[in-house]
Amino acid sequence: MPKIIGLSVGFPGAKRPLEEGAKLGLWDFVLLQGERVKIPPADIYIFAAYHPIYERLFTLRGKNVILFTSSAGEMDMEPIEQQFLDRLLKDPRISFIWFGDESLAKAYPEKGFYAPYPLACDINPPEVVKQDIITIFCPAGLKKNILNQLLAVKLAQREAKLTLHTNIEGYDRILKELDCVRHDWLPEGEYQSLLAQSKVNLAVSWSETYSYQVAESGLCGTCSLVSETIPVPG
């Protein structure tokens, strides 16, 4: 079996598939953080997304694979990612590009392939009682479709007793109009307990290739309202 190592800087979304794969024993994972990082020799190195620091690591002895987690829709919202992809497709040091978007893999068959993201399913659902709450947990960004979802919560709260729990940054004006509890980054146990207590989790994104947050919610026993742009974890 070839030795495979996943490498990533601190990209929360892009490094997640590599972390999950490491939990399942598919490869080892090394976070590129701190002044000195030891990278063992391997046959294949999988890099999460693109970062300038990777340029110094493309010379490692092994095949280089890029995990490209953006969809075509996300690339349209972030044109710089179109430039990154063009550069990677032309770079002879890059052997393959692992696309999370199946259509992108079909569009660029010269290097691209599609594979679903791994999921360890290692969450033990907390034993809690459902509360009259609704959750939205995500980083702020155009692709997340946040304002539409917050307006939907405002309308829902006119019809039912529901308290929104969220970690969304910004959107202060609309959030002040809601029955809302705002959170910083929560410890894993508190986060999972809150998801388990929720009656519904919102993740109606404009464009993504996957949602680990939706998967976490499902493992905690709470269904999510999602858009057709993201595959339902299963």
Side-chain angles (χ1 to χ4, degrees), residues 77-78 138-146 169 171 206:
M77 293 180 183
E78 299 288 345
C138 65
L142 287 176
K143 68 180 181 181
K144 295 297 185 178
N145 192 22
I146 291 172
E169 295 181 356
Y171 296 89
W206 286 125

Side-chain angles (χ1 to χ4, degrees), residues 89-126:
L89 288 166
K90 294 176 179 177
D91 193 330
R93 299 170 298 176
I94 307 302
S95 299
F96 301 102
I97 300 176
W98 170 9
F99 287 107
D101 184 334
E102 192 168 2
S103 62
L104 282 177
K106 291 178 179 178
Y108 299 104
E110 58 271 27
K111 282 190 178 181
F113 69 92
Y114 166 77
Y117 299 151
L119 176 63
C121 297
D122 56 347
I123 292 177
N124 293 317

Side-chain angles (χ1 to χ4, degrees), residues 15-26:
K15 70 183 177 71
R16 182 69 183 274
L18 298 183
E19 292 174 326
E20 293 291 313
K23 291 179 185 178
L24 295 170
L26 301 176

Side-chain angles (χ1 to χ4, degrees), residues 126 128-135 190-200 220 222:
V128 296
V129 177
K130 290 289 183 182
Q131 304 294 325
D132 292 326
I133 65 174
I134 187 170
T135 47
E190 291 182 35
Y191 167 68
Q192 293 174 0
S193 177
L194 193 55
L195 282 181
Q197 293 175 63
S198 176
K199 288 190 171 177
V200 65
C220 289
T222 298

Side-chain angles (χ1 to χ4, degrees), residues 13-14 17-18 46-50 65-76 78-89 94 96-102 104-105 108 112-115 117 208-210:
L18 298 183
I46 306 176
F47 295 86
Y50 173 79
V65 178
I66 298 292
L67 169 57
F68 200 86
T69 56
S70 292
S71 66
E74 290 176 81
M75 291 171 62
D76 208 15
E78 299 288 345
I80 188 65
E81 295 194 5
Q82 299 176 41
Q83 298 178 31
F84 290 156
L85 179 56
D86 183 64
R87 184 185 307 171
L88 296 170
L89 288 166
I94 307 302
F96 301 102
I97 300 176
W98 170 9
F99 287 107
D101 184 334
E102 192 168 2
L104 282 177
Y108 299 104
F113 69 92
Y114 166 77
Y117 299 151
E208 293 187 70
T209 53
Y210 192 71

Side-chain angles (χ1 to χ4, degrees), residues 132-136 153 162-165 198-202:
D132 292 326
I133 65 174
I134 187 170
T135 47
I136 304 177
V153 171
L162 288 170
T163 299
L164 173 67
H165 286 253
S198 176
K199 288 190 171 177
V200 65
N201 179 64
L202 297 185

Side-chain angles (χ1 to χ4, degrees), residues 55-71:
E55 294 288 338
R56 290 180 283 169
L57 303 177
F58 288 159
T59 56
L60 294 170
R61 294 183 179 180
K63 291 185 177 181
N64 298 317
V65 178
I66 298 292
L67 169 57
F68 200 86
T69 56
S70 292
S71 66

